[in-house]
Amino acid sequence: KAGVTQTPRYLIKTRGQQVTLSCSPISGHRSVSWYQQTPGQGLQFLFEYFSETQRNKGNFPGRFSGRQFSNSRSEMNVSTLELGDSALYLCASSSFGPSTREQFFGPGTRLTVL
Amino acid sequence: AQSVTQLDSQVPVFEEAPVELRCNYSSSVSVYLFWYVQYPNQGLQLLLKYLSGSTLVESINGFEAEFNKSQTSFHLRKPSVHISDTAEYFCAVTPNRGDAGNMLTFGGGTRLMVKP
């Protein structure tokens, strides 16, 4: 089974621009979560989508948004980029069975904001 | 809400020595617990998890962790480390309610540095 894939792997943007990151979950997984990883703040939960609905949301400003498509693929968007948005953005998928709760992570998209 | 504290940001250890990476958590509800490992320039890989049952859980590569509810801890141990174990290790929790979704709360990470 193919793992979680994220595209692109690397991105360089300038302040004020917007960016869209994509995540394809493991086949059959309906839950997709996004995390931001920075040296200063560590790993922080952004949001989770399940069956095209946002189920959970972390404490991030409204500039961060996401969506999930009917095939479970997910995108996250960051508008009006700030320098502090430079980070590794990780996507994780899960089958969310009652006895699993294991999340499988992709390799991440490294975003650099100049 | 949940919080996770990894008491050591870096742990240097010689090859073949034992190691313990400490993790404590705080939560108003019961949680599931996880250890993830991250190698340079890669995503996170699940090392082991505690969902229920035996409080001692083991991974296939020699790591083990013990859930201690009274001390709210989930320390990770390995009796003999290898150079290849050099990585960053993250402890994480999520509420064990079915409607809680998959929101993981992570600790700050512990960088394990295995020296020859």
Side-chain angles (χ1 to χ4, degrees), chain B residues 20-90:
Chain B
E20 178 180 79
L21 307 184
R22 296 178 292 171
C23 171
N24 287 88
Y25 71 93
S26 173
S27 177
S28 56
V29 300
S30 294
V31 295
Y32 295 137
L33 300 109
F34 305 85
W35 276 99
Y36 282 87
V37 59
Q38 186 177 34
Y39 298 100
N41 300 315
Q42 294 187 26
L44 301 173
Q45 299 174 30
L46 181 69
L47 196 56
L48 42 77
K49 61 187 177 186
Y50 173 77
L51 302 182
S52 63
S54 172
T55 56
L56 183 65
V57 290
E58 299 176 353
S59 72
I60 59 173
N61 55 357
F63 283 95
E64 64 179 30
E66 185 158 20
F67 170 52
N68 188 319
K69 189 174 183 179
S70 62
Q71 296 186 5
T72 60
S73 67
F74 191 52
H75 301 330
L76 181 70
R77 302 183 183 95
K78 189 170 186 180
S80 176
V81 295
H82 301 127
I83 293 286
S84 60
D85 293 325
T86 295
E88 187 138 23
Y89 293 78
F90 293 93

